[in-house]
Amino acid sequence: MNTNNTVFLFILALSLGWMRTPVEAQRKATEKPNVIIIFADDMGYGDVSCLNPEARTYTPHIDNLVRKGITFSNAHASASVCTPSRYGLLTGRYAWRSESGAHVVSGFGEPVIEQDRETIASLFQKEGYTTACIGKWHLGLDWQTKKSDEPAIYDANTGLSNVDYTQKVTSGPNDYGFDYSFIHPASLDMPPYMFLRNHQAIDPDVILTSALYPDRLDDTEYTWDKKHTGEHDVYWGKGVWWRRGEISRTFRVENCLTEILEESISFIEKHSSDKPSVPFFMYMPLTGPHTPWMPTEQFKGKSSIATYGDFIMNIDHVVGQVTETLRRLGMDENTMIIFSSDNGAYWPQTEIELHNHDANWGRRGQKGDAWDGGHRIPLIISWPSHIKTPFVYDHMVSLTDLFATFADLTDQKLKDNSAEDSFSFLRVLNGNTSKATRRSMVHQSSGGMYSIRMDGWKFIDGLGSGGFTAPSTTEPVSNGPTGQLYQIKSDSLESENLFLQHPDVVKRLQKELNQELEQGNR
């Protein structure tokens, strides 16, 4: 072949995409992945149909992530309830190290993340990512009030607050590394009910929920969860309730999840169009399947376990729509999708027996508890261009570990005072499943009961569930155990308390736990 023909074929190959120049090849090899965290609210490990052989829920799109990625079968939130868990995820540290982050805040609560605290979002931001938070925030906001010298106050009896919704909040997601935010302030059963875009209420014209929704329906039947509501709160039946309060005139509780999905798709599409060469990080905390259980018309009556099952199908649909958007835009191969939940499902024994479905399958307890059902969560990571063979990782992983993993992914060194409780599992994403990434893990229940798992054992410093399962606490009897000890590797249901049989193990784990707690805000 002569020289002219060789040059012609080389140019033709470049124009048709058969070959890349060395610069292009190097760029492709080092291209940073987009990262999306789809964070369900109160969804149990057993709600993912392919993770629970006895599941009566149906999640084909989440199952598809499992079939293509890594399933972490021993993943846990650092706390078994909302705000502390989210604090741990975004900061890479246990929430009890922060006085403000250790407790659930209302929709009017002040920010719980310290102003100088590095977050996952600011970590990505430093590496040139465009960052977005779209969905449920529940980490506090600095609202401006009608009298500037007053803190935000909400009166549960009247449903009214002193907030001036025409003013921007002075501290929120955009102050913690997010370039763009579209959020509901807290859980969807907590006022105020509205969306804020970049700290500004989209519709500041507020009315009371009672102006839009009746407190009861003609066919309302009271069940066990009525205890969470007051006389003037909305209660339409099991799982379908929310607290009385202020709501934007145009906001609709039943449309919230759909609007979060639409906003997320819009963000991905706009980013693909405007900044195709810039990677993005999107934190997408959903408002379901936390109460109120309000699936869209498309899913009503479609499951075998009533409204909750319908709502799980709705959550799965959200995952499917996000993955389809990425595929349509040609972004799916180099986008890491992380699906998880903030804690275990709020699914008591009565519901397990009624529906023959265990939302926290294979573990004892539920949301809020010190037992594993409170904090063991689904954690699935899909990254098609990188993870070629699906597998299950059985070693311990915490949601706090995402921080250090992302730091390794982007070749960043963590600061000494950030992500203190985060351990990178990047080598797991690279296919190395043989080693554990951490030797111990501390858990916090909703009632402030602490536990530690280490060397195949789990020690709980107290008696009772520590959370929502009754009794939350019990007093020790004479010569009886004062805490709980389980050989967690062989007794995943935490059914046999070995506290009295192994005093040496109790002493060692109590010491380890106390050392962690005493270090506090390190």
Side-chain angles (χ1 to χ4, degrees):
M1 181 180 294
N2 64 40
T3 303
N4 289 337
N5 287 341
T6 302
V7 172
F8 171 77
L9 289 175
F10 179 77
I11 294 173
L12 179 63
L14 286 176
S15 66
L16 294 178
W18 298 342
M19 298 176 60
R20 290 191 175 95
T21 65
V23 173
E24 286 177 322
Q26 178 65 24
R27 183 189 64 79
K28 190 68 177 177
T30 60
E31 190 175 6
K32 302 166 188 173
N34 304 309
V35 177
I36 298 175
I37 299 177
I38 304 177
F39 206 45
D41 192 0
D42 288 8
M43 185 165 171
Y45 186 95
D47 286 328
V48 179
S49 53
C50 75
L51 300 183
N52 178 359
E54 300 172 3
R56 297 189 65 204
T57 47
Y58 182 51
T59 57
H61 299 295
I62 302 173
D63 292 355
N64 194 45
L65 297 181
V66 172
R67 284 190 288 269
K68 294 181 177 179
I70 303 171
T71 299
F72 295 80
S73 64
N74 195 11
H76 301 262
S78 59
S80 59
V81 73
C82 185
T83 300
S85 171
R86 291 160 197 270
Y87 177 96
L89 168 69
L90 289 183
T91 66
R93 71 198 300 253
Y94 296 134
W96 47 262
R97 298 199 190 281
S98 162
E99 289 185 13
S100 56
H103 308 285
V104 175
V105 296
S106 74
F108 297 96
E110 296 179 350
V112 302
I113 300 178
E114 301 84 354
Q115 283 296 319
D116 59 348
R117 177 67 52 193
E118 191 168 31
T119 68
I120 287 175
S122 60
L123 185 80
F124 277 117
Q125 207 174 47
K126 287 191 303 183
E127 195 60 22
Y129 277 65
T130 298
T131 59
C133 173
I134 301 173
K136 169 183 170 176
W137 180 237
H138 211 174
L139 288 163
L141 299 166
D142 262 333
W143 297 97
Q144 295 199 58
T145 56
K146 294 167 185 175
K147 292 183 179 180
S148 59
D149 58 339
E150 290 182 345
I153 299 171
Y154 161 69
D155 186 334
N157 293 319
T158 65
L160 299 173
S161 79
N162 63 343
V163 170
D164 181 356
Y165 296 107
T166 66
Q167 301 294 315
K168 276 190 170 186
V169 298
T170 58
S171 180
N174 294 45
D175 297 300
Y176 299 107
F178 291 104
D179 298 312
Y180 178 76
S181 64
F182 178 88
I183 62 163
H184 185 270
S187 295
L188 196 53
D189 55 16
M190 294 180 176
Y193 304 99
M194 60 179 57
F195 284 120
L196 291 85
R197 177 178 281 117
N198 293 328
H199 295 186
Q200 179 71 62
I202 292 175
D203 179 6
D205 180 16
V206 298
I207 54 179
L208 282 176
T209 49
S210 53
L212 290 176
Y213 300 101
D215 294 349
R216 308 288 181 270
L217 301 179
D218 292 339
D219 59 351
T220 293
E221 295 182 5
Y222 296 139
T223 63
W224 58 269
D225 62 347
K226 176 64 175 66
K227 63 186 178 183
H228 297 299
T229 63
E231 180 183 356
H232 298 295
D233 293 337
V234 174
Y235 187 87
W236 292 354
K238 183 170 57 183
V240 189
W241 57 268
W242 55 99
R243 296 171 179 86
R244 185 187 196 191
E246 292 163 330
I247 183 170
S248 291
R249 190 178 294 274
T250 56
F251 185 90
R252 296 294 180 270
V253 173
E254 61 270 26
N255 295 337
C256 183
L257 186 62
T258 298
E259 292 195 51
I260 290 171
L261 172 60
E262 291 174 349
E263 188 72 18
S264 300
I265 290 175
S266 177
F267 170 80
I268 296 171
E269 290 174 337
K270 188 174 189 304
H271 184 87
S272 174
S273 174
D274 295 351
K275 301 178 181 179
S277 62
V278 177
F280 73 84
F281 165 62
M282 184 173 74
Y283 172 51
M284 188 182 178
L286 308 180
T287 50
H290 193 292
T291 51
W293 301 342
M294 298 193 78
T296 61
E297 289 296 329
Q298 180 181 354
F299 299 102
K300 286 183 180 179
K302 295 298 175 64
S303 80
S304 62
I305 56 170
T307 308
Y308 183 80
D310 299 347
F311 206 21
I312 291 292
M313 293 179 70
N314 206 157
I315 299 299
D316 182 71
H317 171 74
V318 169
V319 174
Q321 289 298 294
V322 171
T323 55
E324 171 57 25
T325 298
L326 294 169
R327 187 204 60 78
R328 172 169 53 84
L329 296 173
M331 304 170 71
D332 53 328
E333 285 294 311
N334 200 37
T335 297
M336 180 191 298
I337 296 179
I338 300 164
F339 178 82
S340 193
S341 178
D342 60 341
N343 42 248
Y346 190 18
W347 197 249
Q349 187 63 32
T350 53
E351 295 303 304
I352 296 175
E353 295 171 0
L354 176 64
H355 296 294
N356 195 27
H357 171 74
D358 188 353
N360 298 309
W361 180 76
R363 298 297 185 270
R364 182 183 184 184
Q366 59 176 318
K367 172 185 177 177
D369 292 353
W371 298 319
D372 274 12
H375 46 77
R376 185 207 192 197
I377 39 87
L379 177 60
I380 303 152
I381 299 182
S382 171
W383 183 9
S385 67
H386 190 80
I387 301 170
K388 300 296 186 181
T389 304
F391 60 88
V392 176
Y393 184 70
D394 293 324
H395 293 292
M396 284 190 299
V397 167
S398 171
L399 287 179
T400 61
D401 296 337
L402 286 169
F403 198 118
T405 303
F406 293 149
D408 272 1
L409 179 72
T410 55
D411 294 320
Q412 296 187 63
K413 182 176 175 57
L414 291 176
K415 298 177 183 177
D416 291 338
N417 63 341
S418 70
E420 300 95 318
D421 303 300
S422 189
F423 297 84
S424 173
F425 56 80
L426 183 63
R427 64 172 175 264
V428 179
L429 301 186
N430 291 332
N432 184 348
T433 65
S434 60
K435 294 182 179 179
T437 58
R438 49 161 64 232
R439 63 183 290 268
S440 67
M441 187 186 302
V442 175
H443 307 295
Q444 172 192 347
S445 78
S446 63
M449 190 178 287
Y450 293 96
S451 62
I452 186 170
R453 64 199 312 121
M454 184 177 175
D455 300 333
W457 294 95
K458 180 179 177 183
F459 167 70
I460 302 176
D461 195 12
L463 297 173
S465 74
F468 295 160
T469 299
S472 178
T473 59
T474 61
E475 292 297 319
V477 299
S478 178
N479 298 319
T482 57
Q484 301 169 67
L485 180 70
Y486 302 104
Q487 202 161 33
I488 202 71
K489 290 185 73 172
S490 58
D491 181 18
S492 62
L493 290 176
E494 299 170 85
S495 57
E496 185 180 5
N497 186 359
L498 301 174
F499 185 94
L500 297 179
Q501 291 91 322
H502 296 276
D504 54 333
V505 177
V506 169
K507 183 178 179 180
R508 176 165 57 88
L509 294 186
Q510 178 80 74
K511 182 180 178 181
E512 291 276 352
L513 178 60
N514 288 345
Q515 285 177 344
E516 283 284 354
L517 297 176
E518 287 167 6
Q519 286 174 346
N521 189 4
R522 59 179 181 178

